[in-house]
Amino acid sequence: IKQQSSQGSGTITIGASGETVSFASGVTGTNYPAFECNLNGQSFNVANSTLTKVIMTNEVLDTNSAYDTSTGRFTPQVAGTYFVYGQIAFDSTSDFDNIEIMLRKNESTTFGDALDRNEFHTSLNAHGVVSLNGSSDHITLHAKQVSGGTVGLLDSGNGSTCTFGAFRIGT
């Protein structure tokens, strides 16, 4: 990083000759732990009128081995504030009311959600910021649909249609 002073008297080059940069207490300069997973190659069904925990098994990133592909839980083991995001689409071209995505802490407290109607693979996105204690708190993604029958989530074949992830943004 170079910065020219407003006086024009010199240039400061950080890191050019052994300088170091220090962060304030509690700031690490990285967004770890972090994870992202998707449905790439996986089928997942959601029963009619049933809030269902979505378990995605294709990990794209898991810096601290904190996402469990068998339970769908992200338990970061590092206390802090996390940005969490999720996206789903149902594999249905039918129009029907009430499709929903929820981000939940400890599977009981919703901190991010979206509700819409399905109109030819409508995509739902949810995000939120949540504090996790680092030892037992975890986050999960849930889906619900009211179509009159069971509907699968859409797998686009490249993992981009249904995703779930999080990263630490601070203490």
Side-chain angles (χ1 to χ4, degrees), residues 1-13:
I1 299 174
K2 289 187 175 187
Q3 178 178 341
Q4 183 72 33
S5 73
S6 61
Q7 317 279 321
S9 61
T11 300
I12 300 170
T13 304

Side-chain angles (χ1 to χ4, degrees), residues 46-105:
V46 178
N48 185 58
S49 296
T50 304
L51 185 62
T52 304
K53 179 171 54 169
V54 178
I55 301 173
M56 299 188 194
T57 59
N58 184 53
E59 288 183 305
V60 176
L61 171 73
D62 191 356
T63 62
N64 293 53
S65 299
Y67 180 74
D68 187 334
T69 58
S70 66
T71 64
R73 290 181 174 185
F74 174 66
T75 310
Q77 301 305 309
V78 176
T81 303
Y82 288 79
F83 179 79
V84 184
Y85 57 93
Q87 176 178 300
I88 60 168
F90 288 94
D91 193 9
S92 175
T93 57
S94 298
D95 290 348
F96 57 88
D97 288 334
N98 299 336
I99 57 173
E100 189 169 6
I101 183 174
M102 287 184 186
L103 301 172
R104 303 187 91 188
K105 177 179 176 178

Side-chain angles (χ1 to χ4, degrees), residues 1-164:
I1 299 174
K2 289 187 175 187
Q3 178 178 341
Q4 183 72 33
S5 73
S6 61
Q7 317 279 321
S9 61
T11 300
I12 300 170
T13 304
I14 299 173
S17 59
E19 296 91 350
T20 60
V21 177
S22 297
F23 291 101
S25 176
V27 178
T28 63
T30 60
N31 295 103
Y32 298 154
F35 89 100
E36 183 173 293
C37 57
N38 60 42
L39 283 181
N40 193 16
Q42 175 191 356
S43 296
F44 194 90
N45 291 324
V46 178
N48 185 58
S49 296
T50 304
L51 185 62
T52 304
K53 179 171 54 169
V54 178
I55 301 173
M56 299 188 194
T57 59
N58 184 53
E59 288 183 305
V60 176
L61 171 73
D62 191 356
T63 62
N64 293 53
S65 299
Y67 180 74
D68 187 334
T69 58
S70 66
T71 64
R73 290 181 174 185
F74 174 66
T75 310
Q77 301 305 309
V78 176
T81 303
Y82 288 79
F83 179 79
V84 184
Y85 57 93
Q87 176 178 300
I88 60 168
F90 288 94
D91 193 9
S92 175
T93 57
S94 298
D95 290 348
F96 57 88
D97 288 334
N98 299 336
I99 57 173
E100 189 169 6
I101 183 174
M102 287 184 186
L103 301 172
R104 303 187 91 188
K105 177 179 176 178
N106 300 328
E107 299 183 46
S108 60
T109 304
T110 301
F111 63 90
D113 66 335
L115 178 67
D116 205 347
R117 63 174 281 114
N118 193 73
E119 296 182 56
F120 197 82
H121 304 300
T122 299
S123 180
L124 283 175
N125 298 281
H127 62 275
V129 173
V130 64
S131 292
L132 302 174
N133 66 18
S135 59
S136 61
D137 283 343
H138 62 274
I139 56 171
T140 50
L141 180 136
H142 298 256
K144 184 177 181 180
Q145 57 83 19
V146 184
S147 67
T150 297
V151 178
L153 292 179
L154 181 63
D155 175 17
S156 62
N158 64 8
S160 64
T161 307
C162 295
T163 60
F164 177 38

